[in-house]
Amino acid sequence: MKSAEIKELSVKELEERIEAEKAQLTKLKVQHAVSPVENPSIIKKSRRDIARMLTILRQKNPKC
């Protein structure tokens, strides 16, 4: 997900997306621990997307 797309989301939508991405990342990590994931770079991409969303969320709502 690109920064421009993330900036268009509302604070509530961002929070929902962050929670969904965190759940997805946890699921990917467990799958990778059991048997190697076909493309391990998706774990890295997911982590970076979460960080990007958290950064923009803090810019929009500094009291979080």
Side-chain angles (χ1 to χ4, degrees), residues 11-61:
V11 173
K12 184 164 178 69
E13 289 174 330
L14 265 175
E15 290 171 345
E16 291 172 359
R17 284 273 178 100
I18 290 169
E19 291 303 316
E21 281 291 323
K22 283 183 177 181
Q24 177 76 14
L25 178 62
T26 303
K27 185 177 174 185
L28 280 171
K29 285 182 176 180
V30 169
Q31 286 178 351
H32 187 63
V34 173
S35 65
V37 178
E38 186 175 311
N39 187 3
S41 67
I42 57 175
I43 295 172
K44 180 179 177 181
K45 181 186 176 298
S46 181
R47 271 197 344 256
R48 289 187 177 186
D49 283 344
I50 292 169
R52 198 173 290 122
M53 285 188 265
L54 285 171
T55 300
I56 293 173
L57 178 65
R58 287 188 185 109
Q59 288 173 353
K60 287 184 174 190
N61 192 8

